Amino acid sequence: MKHAASRELFAYWDGSRRGRLLPERSDIEPRRISRILGDTFILDADGSYAFRLAGTRLCALFGRELRGARFLDLWHPQSRAAIADLMATCRAEAIGTAASVRGSGADGREVMLELVLLPLHHHGRPARFIGSLAPLNVPFWLNAVPVETLSLGAFRHLGPAIGDSHLPDLAAPLPAPRPRLIVHEGGRRP
């Protein structure tokens, strides 16, 4: 995770689990993440993925209030099915996801964002997501030109079910190191 808001939200979510698979929605105390509330949101995880809450910086990014809006409607049609599948996997597997996202304005301007989606239990079942969406850099035009669509980039899963010991080693072995200095026999000819 590259953005400070992403790292802080994940650390808070992970600490709120207190040995459980997922934290309960009632465990989330907004004052504990007050520095990142502007980039934070809560979604229903019932398939509608409607915003229950959306931070002020997030609403400013899109130039409108997001409460009640459908999260999937923010995505480009080519990314919509992929993000829906990703969210369904997060909910079913009780894991989070961090993803790179490209936001596009109506005038063609683009900004790179980082998305974090973390499932929450609500009344004992995974029924909410808490997440953040924050720009990796802040171009001069941001908040003057609203982002209209999002496109999904690379992503990785986060959480207790994912660990290095469970992942296959897909990297090719490194070649043996070569000497840095090679001396060739020879010399000057008279």
Side-chain angles (χ1 to χ4, degrees):
M1 290 176 279
K2 297 176 183 176
H3 200 281
S6 302
R7 291 188 302 271
E8 186 173 338
L9 183 61
F10 177 75
Y12 179 69
W13 175 83
D14 193 39
S16 297
R17 290 185 311 110
R18 295 191 299 254
R20 298 169 296 180
L21 194 56
L22 292 176
E24 278 286 333
R25 165 58 187 102
S26 59
D27 294 334
I28 303 301
E29 297 177 38
R31 65 181 170 80
R32 303 272 317 270
I33 54 172
S34 62
R35 290 182 303 191
I36 62 168
L37 280 178
D39 299 313
T40 304
F41 58 87
I42 293 182
L43 303 173
D44 276 328
D46 60 2
S48 73
Y49 303 122
F51 282 94
R52 296 185 64 78
L53 298 168
T56 55
R57 285 188 296 268
L58 188 59
C59 291
L61 182 70
F62 290 94
R64 62 189 172 106
E65 174 60 50
L66 293 173
R67 185 182 171 117
R70 290 175 29 97
F71 182 68
L72 294 179
D73 291 345
L74 301 176
W75 294 84
H76 188 278
Q78 292 178 339
S79 292
R80 203 168 286 153
I83 194 71
D85 288 346
L86 191 62
M87 293 175 77
T89 299
C90 289
R91 183 177 176 208
E93 300 294 326
I95 56 174
T97 295
S100 64
V101 175
R102 185 180 69 244
S104 303
D107 64 356
R109 295 181 194 201
E110 295 182 343
V111 61
M112 291 308 296
L113 306 155
E114 186 169 60
L115 171 69
V116 172
L117 287 169
L118 304 164
L120 298 170
H121 272 150
H122 187 63
H123 301 297
R125 61 183 187 85
R128 301 273 194 272
F129 283 100
I130 188 168
S132 69
L133 182 64
L136 292 173
N137 58 10
V138 183
F140 73 93
W141 56 267
L142 198 63
N143 298 335
V145 176
V147 169
E148 291 197 350
T149 60
L150 301 173
S151 298
L152 184 63
F155 62 88
R156 71 181 184 98
H157 295 296
L158 310 166
I162 302 296
D164 291 337
S165 62
H166 302 296
L167 299 176
D169 186 8
L170 301 176
L174 295 174
R178 297 185 333 177
R180 293 182 180 258
L181 175 65
I182 300 173
V183 177
H184 294 279
E185 294 289 328
R188 288 202 270 180
R189 295 183 183 193

